[in-house]
Amino acid sequence: MEFTLGQVAQILQGKVEGDENAKVSRLDKIQEGKPGGISFLANEKYTSFIYDTEATAVIVSETFATSKILKTNLIRVKDAYSGFTQLLEAYSLMMKTGMEGVQEPAFADPSAQLGSGTFRGAFSYIGKNAQIADGVKIHQQVHIGDRVKIGKNTIIHPGAKICADTVIGANCEIHPGAVIGGDGFGFAPQADGTYKTIPQIGNVIIEDQVSIGTNTTIDCATMGSTIIKKGAKIDNLVQIAHNVSIGENTVIASQTGISGSTEIGKNCIIAGQVGIAGHLKIADNTTIGAKSGIIKSVKEKGSTLFGYIAMDMKNFLKSYSIFKNLSSVENRIKELEKKK
Amino acid sequence: MEFTLGQVAQILQGKVEGDENAKVSRLDKIQEGKPGGISFLANEKYTSFIYDTEATAVIVSETFATSKILKTNLIRVKDAYSGFTQLLEAYSLMMKTGMEGVQEPAFADPSAQLGSGTFRGAFSYIGKNAQIADGVKIHQQVHIGDRVKIGKNTIIHPGAKICADTVIGANCEIHPGAVIGGDGFGFAPQADGTYKTIPQIGNVIIEDQVSIGTNTTIDCATMGSTIIKKGAKIDNLVQIAHNVSIGENTVIASQTGISGSTEIGKNCIIAGQVGIAGHLKIADNTTIGAKSGIIKSVKEKGSTLFGYIAMDMKNFLKSYSIFKNLSSVENRIKELEKKK
Amino acid sequence: MEFTLGQVAQILQGKVEGDENAKVSRLDKIQEGKPGGISFLANEKYTSFIYDTEATAVIVSETFATSKILKTNLIRVKDAYSGFTQLLEAYSLMMKTGMEGVQEPAFADPSAQLGSGTFRGAFSYIGKNAQIADGVKIHQQVHIGDRVKIGKNTIIHPGAKICADTVIGANCEIHPGAVIGGDGFGFAPQADGTYKTIPQIGNVIIEDQVSIGTNTTIDCATMGSTIIKKGAKIDNLVQIAHNVSIGENTVIASQTGISGSTEIGKNCIIAGQVGIAGHLKIADNTTIGAKSGIIKSVKEKGSTLFGYIAMDMKNFLKSYSIFKNLSSVENRIKELEKKK
């Protein structure tokens, strides 16, 4: 989409210095600005770039004083940084929610209910009795299973698979290739060494304002529900097993895995490549460092844990600093042994 | 699907106490029962819930004696737990295998052979000379490459990709987004620092009763076959490299990675986030703890290994318990050094 | 595809000994040769297999002397190994690039530009203003977002998702289920404990001759570009976060994760399950062992690092060898304490 600088200034309640009719279609960093892009200057460190940038326009504060001749146009606003952020959000929202209607061929079972202002991309599939609220965007090649419910304005990105009976709240984003509600990993060992599949008949419930990352997998509950609570943000390639519960506003970084039936509290921060064993409870406001292994419940709120078998982060780092010189530690013992 | 309590009682060879015509369409936990659900009571601990549950019916044993008035209907069977399990399996099977025929648009090359009782979902693709046996369910957006063979009653869940020349046995489940038979990671270093792609012309063979988890990747062999043997169960986001062989009834949990040409024995249990180097042999009945790194072959059957560089699990835990207090260990050395 | 031995000999500039009209359609290992397959014998260790192989033909060197009667046909060439490799590459190329045209139904926005010799598989999607160069193969169920540019002869394997604004060079391979250009993981903490989504409006740039593994995820930049430079090879299930830069000819093995804004140099080798923190710089020619955690920049070129918190590999292994016997080390301290 293209805008004139006049239109942008109007959105930002600012003033154009230069060509009001120049057009921009992209947001650029000031040091990488190209024709057709609009940048911002809020940090003095970057001031020198404004004289060389090829961006069509730069958003600056009302008080910005030029020291050389400019090649670019200016849009003056009260606060350049928040002006740019405002533009960024408007742009991002427009890109994500601009679509409506159906791209054919798309498949929707006649029993599915579709709200107003929804979008269904080509090769998307919607199963029986699915309920899709107003403003939901179902991108290309998405799969929505039978009886799935999706709340208002949620975006399901290309190729995500939402399996049968999943419930997703409003204003969520499910990123490409994520799979919500695949079977939990449940097998009962038999006397002859084989395994019998334990039917997984539960579902996944995702509350409002949740983000699920690309190619992340969230398994349905064996019975009952795997639950991701309001405002939780989950990164790419994360594994969340059956019957797990993730608390409100908890953030989980990439490639972390959470085993079956574990309950994570609210406002936790879990870094990347962490592994958490099954049937644990992690208290609210827990912080877990990258690559940590958690094998017991965390009872105290606000703990900060780290380590291969996680412990208090400071203690782990103290032990690890000695581990790094363990051969010199052993030499000191040898020395003592000689002298005894 | 909906059943009357009379129909359920007939399946379970039990008797209804209450309304034979009440309908159920869902299996609920007794403490979370809602109208339209059916629960079971097998463990005395849960007895109190039967008087409050909103479930339409509860399966109980023939001998269950009520101590208060019930709001729910009962189905009396010999053994409530196995009765419920039986219902669970019947329900799960019905949900998974109830479909037949074709949802259009679906693509199948005219040279592909399709057995009776098969299902092909919308936007599924079947390549040249593929052979799909009776009862195979190919869900929406699945990709079946050229010359792929799939055995009886196997289920390929939405969006799974089965690349050319893969062979899959009977009664397998390939979960959503799994990719079977993608190219192995083989590149030959050249004198100038670049890499030349080594053609990967082998395939993947998956035997009967294997389960492959969501978004898991199993690479084809460079030449010959990557093999997953009968009854193996593989969880989500697992990586299995080219020319690996996984033994019968071996279980591999989420996010584990197995490097090229490694052979895993039968009846092994490999926990989550384990990494196994290439060209190793892991003996039968080996157990490997979560997050372990395996860098040499395991020769003794029945070993239990654990650790960042894995070793006998007990020994690792002993070392780690000292590591946790390494700064106090060092203090003891300092103390000795002072006194010498 | 099928070839007569005469045709194969012509490609390899060799001579047939046996039936020139026998047909082969497959490349086999000599010890696993079956009718219809062609093998090679270059290593003396395997000589005995040539007398028993069921392969239709075996490629041997001009000087190979038989000691028994052969059941198989021979193709004599100057160097059997390089002859076979040549055949392998020809075969692999033919399998991957043999397709042209469109399998319907496929979706391409009328504004998309498609070069000559391109292929679009069934259920593939191409968005607005996408530019697809000559010879590009877009397999089934692939998603190409708006304004994506793809260079000559690149192959996008089944189900890969290339999000809006991504730029991909020539002669790349994007393997099945990979997602290029999904949103970066950026959320600004708010005073009330919730998170606000930071718009991700940058893109991904992939240069020429890059390979991206199955189900790997590469996030778009917050602003600017996430960049994968020429000749880099990235394995399956790898996570590359927003604004990361990967240098030329760097190789990254499976399940490794690289956090936001980190710059990896050229000709690095990064093994599997490695985690690299954000905002770091890793020097050229760095080697990182499997499962390592990198938390600070690597300044010296050609370093070899390893460890849970990575350090010089030799030093880590020295420390770890003492760690393995830490309880006996502690016993030695106890012994000293007794005697003091």
Side-chain angles (χ1 to χ4, degrees):
Chain A
M1 262 159 281
E2 261 190 355
F3 299 86
T4 66
L5 297 187
Q7 289 172 317
V8 174
Q10 207 170 5
I11 294 168
L12 302 182
Q13 299 185 279
K15 275 185 197 165
V16 179
E17 273 180 38
D19 180 1
E20 291 227 340
N21 296 315
K23 283 174 181 170
V24 290
S25 63
R26 216 179 47 244
L27 301 169
D28 286 346
K29 290 186 190 174
I30 191 164
Q31 65 271 41
E32 297 171 357
K34 296 281 169 208
I38 180 165
S39 301
F40 75 108
L41 176 62
N43 185 332
E44 286 191 9
K45 279 204 316 191
Y46 290 87
T47 303
S48 64
F49 290 110
I50 201 168
Y51 302 105
D52 294 321
T53 189
E54 294 174 33
T56 296
V58 178
I59 300 168
V60 297
S61 74
E62 287 172 349
T63 59
F64 172 70
T66 56
S67 63
K68 293 193 225 169
I69 290 172
L70 289 167
K71 293 181 290 188
T72 187
N73 301 290
L74 296 183
I75 296 180
R76 290 191 181 274
V77 297
K78 272 222 170 103
D79 173 344
Y81 181 70
S82 70
F84 187 74
T85 305
Q86 203 183 324
L87 203 63
L88 197 63
E89 283 167 4
Y91 176 84
S92 173
L93 198 72
M94 208 166 53
M95 296 304 287
K96 283 188 172 168
T97 62
M99 304 133 320
E100 266 192 50
V102 185
Q103 279 178 339
E104 295 291 354
F107 184 106
D109 190 272
S111 64
Q113 296 168 35
L114 285 152
S116 68
T118 54
F119 170 71
R120 292 186 290 130
F123 315 122
S124 63
Y125 172 88
I126 298 182
K128 288 176 190 155
N129 298 306
Q131 297 176 30
I132 311 298
D134 295 352
V136 170
K137 309 301 177 187
I138 294 172
H139 283 248
Q140 297 79 25
Q141 297 141 332
V142 160
H143 182 274
I144 308 285
D146 296 345
R147 298 173 301 281
V148 167
K149 292 178 193 171
I150 301 183
K152 281 190 185 175
N153 299 319
T154 281
I155 303 169
I156 315 287
H157 287 275
K161 310 293 175 214
I162 315 299
C163 300
D165 298 301
T166 298
V167 178
I168 299 181
N171 299 305
C172 293
E173 281 198 63
I174 311 296
H175 289 283
V179 178
I180 314 298
D183 273 7
F185 193 62
F187 299 95
Q190 305 297 299
D192 63 353
T194 64
Y195 288 87
K196 198 171 165 185
T197 303
I198 298 170
Q200 305 289 316
I201 63 157
N203 75 341
V204 176
I205 296 175
I206 292 179
E207 298 185 353
D208 299 347
Q209 271 123 38
V210 168
S211 177
I212 305 293
T214 301
N215 282 355
T216 278
T217 61
I218 302 181
D219 286 349
C220 74
T222 308
M223 284 185 72
S225 300
T226 303
I227 300 177
I228 315 294
K229 294 198 177 150
K230 195 173 169 180
K233 309 295 180 192
I234 297 174
D235 200 358
N236 300 350
L237 293 170
V238 170
Q239 152 73 358
I240 295 182
H242 55 88
N243 296 85
V244 163
S245 162
I246 306 288
E248 287 185 20
N249 302 318
T250 279
V251 173
I252 301 178
S254 180
Q255 295 178 322
T256 282
I258 300 175
S259 306
S261 301
T262 281
E263 293 175 35
I264 312 274
K266 61 185 181 185
N267 296 98
C268 294
I269 296 175
I270 302 177
Q273 298 184 339
V274 168
I276 303 184
H279 298 275
L280 303 183
K281 288 194 186 194
I282 308 296
D284 296 347
N285 298 97
T286 299
T287 298
I288 302 177
K291 279 190 169 292
S292 296
I294 306 290
I295 60 170
K296 57 184 185 186
S297 290
V298 177
K299 284 169 190 168
E300 204 178 330
K301 290 186 187 184
S303 305
T304 298
L305 301 169
F306 179 51
Y308 184 72
I309 301 177
M311 49 196 270
D312 173 77
M313 185 183 274
K314 276 184 196 165
N315 289 341
F316 181 86
L317 292 173
K318 206 181 287 176
S319 285
Y320 202 83
S321 72
I322 299 168
F323 167 84
K324 283 162 78 172
N325 298 302
L326 214 45
S327 71
S328 81
V329 170
E330 204 209 6
N331 284 339
R332 284 159 64 189
I333 296 173
K334 278 183 194 158
E335 212 52 46
L336 287 165
E337 286 168 336
K338 270 187 215 166
K339 295 195 175 163
K340 80 185 171 191
Chain B
M1 261 159 281
E2 261 189 354
F3 299 87
T4 65
L5 297 187
Q7 288 171 319
V8 174
Q10 208 171 5
I11 294 169
L12 301 182
Q13 298 183 280
K15 276 183 196 165
V16 178
E17 272 180 37
D19 179 2
E20 290 226 340
N21 297 314
K23 282 174 181 169
V24 289
S25 63
R26 216 180 46 246
L27 301 170
D28 286 346
K29 291 185 188 174
I30 191 164
Q31 65 271 42
E32 297 170 356
K34 296 280 168 211
I38 180 166
S39 301
F40 76 107
L41 176 61
N43 184 331
E44 287 191 8
K45 276 204 318 193
Y46 291 87
T47 303
S48 65
F49 291 110
I50 202 169
Y51 303 105
D52 294 321
T53 188
E54 295 175 31
T56 296
V58 179
I59 300 169
V60 297
S61 74
E62 287 170 347
T63 60
F64 172 71
T66 57
S67 65
K68 293 194 225 167
I69 289 171
L70 289 167
K71 293 181 290 188
T72 187
N73 301 289
L74 297 183
I75 297 180
R76 290 192 179 274
V77 297
K78 271 219 172 109
D79 173 346
Y81 181 70
S82 70
F84 187 74
T85 305
Q86 202 182 324
L87 202 63
L88 198 62
E89 283 167 3
Y91 176 84
S92 173
L93 198 72
M94 208 167 55
M95 295 305 286
K96 282 189 172 166
T97 63
M99 305 131 320
E100 265 193 49
V102 186
Q103 279 177 340
E104 294 293 355
F107 183 105
D109 190 272
S111 64
Q113 296 169 36
L114 285 152
S116 68
T118 53
F119 169 71
R120 291 188 290 131
F123 316 123
S124 63
Y125 173 88
I126 299 181
K128 288 176 191 157
N129 297 305
Q131 297 175 31
I132 311 299
D134 295 352
V136 169
K137 308 302 177 188
I138 293 172
H139 284 248
Q140 297 81 23
Q141 297 141 332
V142 160
H143 182 274
I144 307 285
D146 295 345
R147 299 173 301 282
V148 167
K149 293 179 193 170
I150 301 182
K152 280 189 185 176
N153 299 320
T154 281
I155 303 169
I156 315 287
H157 287 275
K161 312 292 175 213
I162 315 299
C163 299
D165 297 301
T166 298
V167 178
I168 299 181
N171 299 306
C172 293
E173 281 198 62
I174 311 295
H175 289 284
V179 178
I180 315 298
D183 272 8
F185 194 61
F187 299 94
Q190 305 298 299
D192 63 353
T194 64
Y195 289 86
K196 198 172 166 185
T197 303
I198 298 170
Q200 304 289 315
I201 63 156
N203 74 342
V204 176
I205 296 176
I206 293 179
E207 298 184 353
D208 299 346
Q209 270 123 35
V210 167
S211 176
I212 305 293
T214 300
N215 282 354
T216 279
T217 61
I218 302 181
D219 285 348
C220 74
T222 308
M223 284 187 72
S225 300
T226 302
I227 302 177
I228 315 294
K229 295 196 177 153
K230 195 174 168 177
K233 309 296 181 194
I234 296 174
D235 200 357
N236 299 350
L237 294 170
V238 169
Q239 152 71 357
I240 295 182
H242 55 88
N243 295 84
V244 163
S245 163
I246 306 289
E248 287 185 21
N249 302 319
T250 279
V251 173
I252 301 177
S254 182
Q255 296 177 322
T256 282
I258 300 175
S259 305
S261 301
T262 282
E263 294 175 35
I264 312 276
K266 62 184 180 186
N267 296 98
C268 294
I269 296 175
I270 301 177
Q273 297 184 340
V274 168
I276 304 185
H279 298 275
L280 304 183
K281 289 194 185 194
I282 308 296
D284 297 347
N285 298 96
T286 299
T287 298
I288 302 176
K291 278 189 169 293
S292 296
I294 306 289
I295 60 171
K296 57 183 185 187
S297 290
V298 177
K299 286 171 189 166
E300 202 178 333
K301 291 186 186 183
S303 305
T304 298
L305 301 169
F306 180 52
Y308 183 72
I309 302 175
M311 48 196 269
D312 174 77
M313 185 182 276
K314 277 184 195 165
N315 289 341
F316 181 85
L317 292 175
K318 208 182 285 176
S319 285
Y320 201 83
S321 72
I322 298 168
F323 167 84
K324 284 162 78 172
N325 298 300
L326 214 45
S327 70
S328 81
V329 170
E330 205 211 4
N331 284 338
R332 285 159 64 190
I333 297 173
K334 278 183 194 160
E335 212 53 46
L336 287 164
E337 286 169 336
K338 272 187 213 165
K339 295 192 175 163
K340 80 185 172 192
Chain C
M1 261 158 281
E2 261 191 354
F3 299 87
T4 66
L5 297 187
Q7 289 171 318
V8 174
Q10 207 169 5
I11 294 168
L12 301 181
Q13 299 185 279
K15 277 183 195 167
V16 178
E17 273 180 37
D19 180 2
E20 290 227 340
N21 297 315
K23 283 173 178 167
V24 289
S25 63
R26 217 179 46 244
L27 302 169
D28 286 346
K29 291 185 187 175
I30 192 165
Q31 65 272 41
E32 297 170 356
K34 296 280 170 211
I38 179 165
S39 301
F40 76 108
L41 177 62
N43 183 331
E44 286 191 10
K45 278 203 316 190
Y46 291 87
T47 304
S48 64
F49 290 110
I50 201 169
Y51 302 105
D52 294 322
T53 189
E54 295 175 32
T56 295
V58 179
I59 300 169
V60 296
S61 75
E62 286 170 350
T63 59
F64 172 71
T66 57
S67 64
K68 294 193 226 168
I69 290 171
L70 288 167
K71 294 181 290 187
T72 187
N73 300 289
L74 296 183
I75 296 180
R76 289 192 180 274
V77 297
K78 272 222 170 104
D79 174 345
Y81 181 72
S82 70
F84 186 75
T85 304
Q86 202 183 324
L87 203 62
L88 198 62
E89 283 167 4
Y91 176 84
S92 173
L93 198 71
M94 209 167 53
M95 296 304 287
K96 282 189 172 166
T97 62
M99 305 131 321
E100 265 192 51
V102 185
Q103 281 178 339
E104 295 292 353
F107 184 105
D109 190 273
S111 64
Q113 296 168 35
L114 285 152
S116 68
T118 53
F119 170 71
R120 291 187 290 131
F123 316 122
S124 63
Y125 173 87
I126 298 181
K128 288 176 190 155
N129 298 305
Q131 298 176 30
I132 311 298
D134 295 352
V136 170
K137 309 300 177 189
I138 293 172
H139 284 249
Q140 297 80 24
Q141 297 140 331
V142 161
H143 182 274
I144 307 285
D146 295 346
R147 298 172 301 280
V148 166
K149 293 179 193 171
I150 302 183
K152 280 190 186 176
N153 299 320
T154 281
I155 303 170
I156 316 287
H157 288 275
K161 311 293 175 215
I162 315 298
C163 299
D165 298 300
T166 299
V167 178
I168 300 181
N171 299 306
C172 293
E173 281 198 62
I174 311 296
H175 289 283
V179 178
I180 314 298
D183 272 7
F185 194 61
F187 299 95
Q190 305 298 299
D192 63 353
T194 64
Y195 289 87
K196 199 172 166 185
T197 303
I198 298 170
Q200 305 288 317
I201 63 157
N203 74 341
V204 176
I205 297 175
I206 293 178
E207 297 185 353
D208 299 346
Q209 271 123 36
V210 168
S211 177
I212 305 293
T214 301
N215 282 355
T216 278
T217 61
I218 302 181
D219 285 349
C220 74
T222 308
M223 283 186 72
S225 300
T226 302
I227 302 177
I228 315 295
K229 294 198 178 150
K230 195 173 169 180
K233 309 295 181 192
I234 296 174
D235 200 358
N236 300 350
L237 293 169
V238 170
Q239 152 73 356
I240 294 182
H242 56 89
N243 295 83
V244 163
S245 162
I246 306 288
E248 286 186 22
N249 302 318
T250 279
V251 173
I252 300 178
S254 181
Q255 296 177 321
T256 282
I258 299 175
S259 305
S261 301
T262 282
E263 292 176 35
I264 312 276
K266 60 184 181 183
N267 296 99
C268 294
I269 296 176
I270 302 176
Q273 298 184 338
V274 169
I276 303 185
H279 299 275
L280 304 183
K281 289 194 185 195
I282 308 296
D284 297 346
N285 298 97
T286 299
T287 298
I288 302 176
K291 279 187 169 295
S292 296
I294 306 290
I295 60 170
K296 55 184 187 189
S297 290
V298 177
K299 285 170 190 168
E300 203 179 331
K301 291 186 188 184
S303 305
T304 298
L305 300 169
F306 180 52
Y308 183 73
I309 300 175
M311 47 196 269
D312 173 77
M313 185 182 274
K314 276 185 195 162
N315 289 341
F316 180 85
L317 292 174
K318 207 181 286 175
S319 284
Y320 202 83
S321 72
I322 299 168
F323 166 85
K324 284 162 77 173
N325 298 301
L326 213 45
S327 70
S328 82
V329 170
E330 204 210 6
N331 284 338
R332 285 160 63 191
I333 296 174
K334 279 183 193 159
E335 212 53 47
L336 287 164
E337 286 169 334
K338 273 187 213 164
K339 294 190 177 166
K340 79 185 170 189

